[in-house]
Amino acid sequence: MSLTAWMKHTVITVKTRDSARHAREVMEKYRINQLPVVVDDRLVGILTDRDLRDAFPSVIESFASRPRRSGADPATIRVDDVMTPTVLTLAPTATVADAARVMRSERIGAVPIVERGRLVGILTRSDVLDAFVELSRSATEPFPPAGRNGGRR
């Protein structure tokens, strides 16, 4: 099953110079956990909710023994300072099964889809589950009923 039917073709992205605060606001607005980072439609990294949590620990965590950016203001930190620069990607010719294997083995929630160096889509864990539900539904549904006269003409 081709992943192009299931991936999101309009991808919400951020730029390297955007602030971490802006990225968090985008994630909250669109209820997403991964934001591809682009420069001229070319994927240069990915920013996840985990990247932001690690970079800006909560107030409780800031009292722990290992605060990372104590006192840092997310409005002054750029996305390229906290993003993951190495991104696993797939081509549009890959299958949903390929994506599921990569996501499972690498423990990631989304795979950007790249063609000729350009970001053309993203496939999330929810998209993979939707594809699985559709595939399992069509595999378990009975054959369509014959016409009113039993399929005879």
Side-chain angles (χ1 to χ4, degrees):
M1 178 183 322
S2 169
L3 61 77
T4 56
W6 297 99
M7 71 182 195
K8 289 170 184 59
H9 294 273
T10 301
V11 184
I12 298 163
T13 63
V14 290
K15 298 190 181 337
T16 55
R17 295 179 183 256
D18 287 340
S19 72
R21 173 178 286 158
H22 170 73
R24 170 51 67 198
E25 290 168 354
V26 169
M27 286 179 167
E28 289 174 0
K29 178 180 179 180
Y30 293 100
R31 300 182 65 195
I32 55 178
N33 298 321
Q34 304 86 10
L35 272 173
V37 182
V38 296
V39 173
D40 298 325
D41 293 329
R42 296 201 177 272
L43 185 68
V44 297
I46 194 157
L47 184 67
T48 67
D49 57 346
R50 176 173 283 169
D51 293 328
L52 290 174
R53 279 194 315 267
D54 288 349
F56 304 101
S58 70
V59 173
I60 293 170
E61 290 171 334
S62 69
F63 290 108
S65 60
R66 56 176 187 86
R68 288 179 79 187
R69 291 184 188 255
S70 183
D73 180 2
T76 64
I77 304 297
R78 289 176 22 166
V79 164
D80 59 357
D81 289 329
V82 293
M83 72 181 193
T84 300
T86 306
V87 186
L88 294 169
T89 64
L90 289 172
T93 55
T95 65
V96 172
D98 295 331
R101 277 191 285 279
V102 167
M103 293 167 74
R104 175 75 174 122
S105 68
E106 299 299 325
R107 302 173 87 174
I108 57 176
V111 179
I113 310 305
V114 176
E115 184 172 39
R116 292 186 210 114
R118 300 233 182 251
L119 181 66
V120 295
I122 191 165
L123 189 80
T124 66
R125 188 174 17 237
S126 295
D127 299 327
V128 170
L129 289 172
D130 288 344
F132 172 76
V133 167
E134 183 62 31
L135 183 64
S136 65
R137 181 184 350 222
S138 55
T140 59
E141 285 182 354
F143 289 103
R148 284 200 316 225
N149 60 1
R152 294 179 294 257
R153 290 181 174 229

